[in-house]
Amino acid sequence: MFVACIILCITFSAHASEAAVILHKNIQQHQLTRSEVRDIFSARKQYWPDGTKITVYVLESNSDAHRDFCRQVLKMFPYQLERLWNQIIYSGQGERPQTLATQTEVLEAVASTPGAVGYAYQGTWSQDVREVTVP
């Protein structure tokens, strides 16, 4: 019984801390490949297939949530993502994602900005945003 409780707690903790890609509710994408997510968050992909401009929201680079997102979803370190942003910005090919201080701010920004994408811990968002599957 005790072992089962520990396993359940570990499973719940791991699941609750997984970062998920969230989209504005009007975006038609239901699934993105890991490569597409990397391209979006590194500013290499700037438009959705319907032509809507992608607005990316992220948390501060030194936050635990940002580090978790980079490792779990993008499969890279935050400094690698920062380098990609710098390349895009300094070459004049794009803009840096908008950095917000809290997950609540990210959720509100994604919900209120058509074409927006961000990330949040699973199960923390409202019906104004939705999770997209990243296999």
Side-chain angles (χ1 to χ4, degrees):
M1 178 74 167
F2 179 73
V3 174
C5 286
I6 291 190
I7 291 172
L8 249 173
C9 288
I10 291 170
T11 303
F12 179 74
S13 299
H15 180 71
S17 67
E18 291 179 17
V21 176
I22 56 169
L23 306 175
H24 184 271
K25 65 183 177 184
N26 292 339
I27 298 174
Q28 299 302 311
Q29 302 291 114
H30 296 286
Q31 181 174 334
L32 294 169
T33 66
R34 192 164 313 278
S35 178
E36 288 174 313
V37 172
R38 278 191 203 122
D39 286 348
I40 289 169
F41 279 89
S42 65
R44 287 183 272 182
K45 180 175 181 175
Q46 298 180 17
Y47 293 91
W48 294 109
D50 69 357
T52 303
K53 174 90 170 114
I54 298 173
T55 303
V56 179
Y57 294 100
V58 297
L59 292 170
E60 295 175 4
S61 294
N62 62 352
S63 72
D64 289 337
H66 181 73
R67 285 192 295 269
D68 290 345
F69 173 74
C70 288
R71 289 183 194 140
Q72 293 172 4
V73 178
L74 300 179
K75 303 293 185 198
M76 62 175 48
F77 291 103
Y79 74 87
Q80 292 172 304
L81 185 58
E82 189 80 28
R83 284 183 186 165
L84 291 172
W85 291 342
N86 289 338
Q87 289 174 352
I88 296 292
I89 294 163
Y90 296 128
S91 67
Q93 297 175 352
E95 298 175 1
R96 179 184 182 85
Q98 295 186 30
T99 303
L100 301 172
T102 67
Q103 183 169 283
T104 302
E105 290 177 7
V106 172
L107 291 167
E108 290 170 358
V110 171
S112 64
T113 308
V117 61
Y119 55 86
Y121 286 113
Q122 292 183 340
T124 60
W125 47 86
S126 70
Q127 63 188 18
D128 295 326
V129 298
R130 62 183 182 75
E131 178 181 0
V132 65
T133 305
V134 182

